[in-house]
Amino acid sequence: MSRFLAVDWGTTNRRAYLVEDGAVVATTRDDRGILAVEPGGFDAEVASLRARYSDVPIVLAGMVGSNRGWIDAGYVAAPATIDALAAKAVRPIDGVAIVPGVSRSVAGRGDVMRGEEVQLLGAAAAGMVPPDSLLCQPGTHCKWAWMKDGALADFVTAMTGELFALLKAHALIGQEMTGAVADDTAFGEGVADAGRDDLLGALFGVRAASVLGLRVAGTAASYVSGLLIGTDVRAHVRPGETVYLLADEALGALYARAIGMVGASTQRIDSHAAFVAGVTRIEELLG
């Protein structure tokens, strides 16, 4: 029986999956992301995990392999395959492997990811998406990934969610962004206005709309979200395409709406199942 622990170890959160013969038999999620671990404390954290799960082999992915994590596991350059990730895995101690991230550098523009690559390649390896497909992982840093023959051929990271948070907390228009974001009329207006290719002007227009009484109070947050997501989507999606979304229900619905408004379609993919599929294949390759 194949039995191991897979850990998606991010900046603020950590999710562990106990996998037996390819199936998840237990899962836990906590706030022990890398920022919660004291310098030099990763050995103890991993020892605690091993004790909890009967000393099984462990495969770690995500920010734990960054230069701010336990050990820098480096990057595999795109186009990247799941075999390449396994071949470049780093073993800080016996019985523990850390999956590297993926990098790209084209025309002087670089990009990196850690953790998402396991989901993306796992989705392709498990047949959740076609071998040639466009995948999107919305979030603080939204990932757009182009798969080719099942490999991660290229990708782009957009600071969509982070920019929304910065505007709300620190920008002049933040005082207008008091309502909750919803898939509503204001959101749709934001997506539509993104098509004018004047994001900076449209953002200041949020302030002007408030002063002049042109927008219903409490709808600015939805409108700004629509502007940002609409700009993000229009930069990467073409009419007639199918985009495979690895997202939670709320954020997935917003991206699906914006993608639909540019004439493309979406299919939702279970990101947790994709991660397990990817990390299981990596564990098999590690032997």
Side-chain angles (χ1 to χ4, degrees):
M1 179 180 69
S2 172
R3 190 170 186 265
F4 74 101
L5 187 68
V7 183
D8 188 359
W9 204 329
T11 303
T12 57
N13 296 291
R14 178 179 65 179
R15 188 184 296 269
Y17 306 83
L18 182 61
V19 182
E20 290 186 0
D21 295 331
V24 177
V25 297
T27 182
T28 58
R29 184 177 186 274
D30 58 34
D31 60 359
R32 298 295 294 169
I34 64 166
L35 296 183
V37 180
E38 297 294 329
F42 282 97
D43 291 81
E45 287 287 336
V46 171
S48 176
L49 286 171
R50 299 184 84 168
R52 191 185 314 170
Y53 292 102
S54 304
D55 202 27
V56 295
I58 299 178
V59 180
L60 307 175
M63 289 299 290
V64 67
S66 72
N67 57 8
R68 298 184 65 182
W70 188 7
I71 187 171
D72 191 340
Y75 297 97
V76 171
T81 64
I82 205 160
D83 295 64
L85 292 183
K88 294 292 186 179
V90 174
R91 299 178 184 269
I93 59 175
D94 186 50
V96 178
I98 303 178
V99 180
V102 176
S103 66
R104 74 179 296 275
S105 180
V106 177
R109 177 175 170 176
D111 209 331
V112 293
M113 66 168 64
R114 283 197 185 277
E116 297 94 347
E117 69 286 334
V118 178
Q119 294 182 26
L120 297 167
L121 289 166
M128 298 177 185
V129 301
D132 297 345
S133 52
L134 170 59
L135 279 64
C136 176
Q137 294 171 299
T140 302
H141 298 147
C142 180
K143 301 289 185 183
W144 297 90
W146 289 266
M147 312 300 290
K148 181 68 174 177
D149 296 328
L152 177 50
D154 199 8
F155 67 95
V156 171
T157 305
M159 294 176 59
T160 320
E162 182 174 1
L163 184 54
F164 179 88
L166 288 170
L167 289 169
K168 185 172 183 177
H170 301 292
L172 178 65
I173 64 171
Q175 61 187 332
E176 318 299 340
M177 297 167 60
T178 56
V181 174
D183 181 8
D184 54 16
T185 300
F187 179 83
E189 290 173 350
V191 174
D193 284 355
R196 298 180 180 179
D197 296 327
D198 185 19
L199 175 62
L200 299 182
L203 285 171
F204 185 78
V206 174
R207 167 64 176 166
S210 174
V211 171
L212 299 175
L214 302 178
R215 181 167 300 285
V216 176
T219 64
S222 285
Y223 177 78
V224 172
S225 179
L227 272 177
L228 297 177
I229 292 176
T231 299
D232 192 6
V233 166
R234 290 175 188 279
H236 303 111
V237 180
R238 300 296 171 259
E241 283 188 306
T242 297
V243 181
Y244 295 86
L245 285 172
L246 293 87
D248 62 37
E249 192 67 30
L251 195 52
L254 295 177
Y255 269 79
R257 170 101 180 269
I259 290 168
M261 288 180 65
V262 303
S265 61
T266 58
Q267 289 191 30
R268 198 73 58 86
I269 303 299
D270 185 330
S271 60
H272 301 300
F275 176 82
V276 172
V279 79
T280 298
R281 180 56 183 153
I282 291 170
E283 195 274 337
E284 292 170 351
L285 291 168
L286 289 172

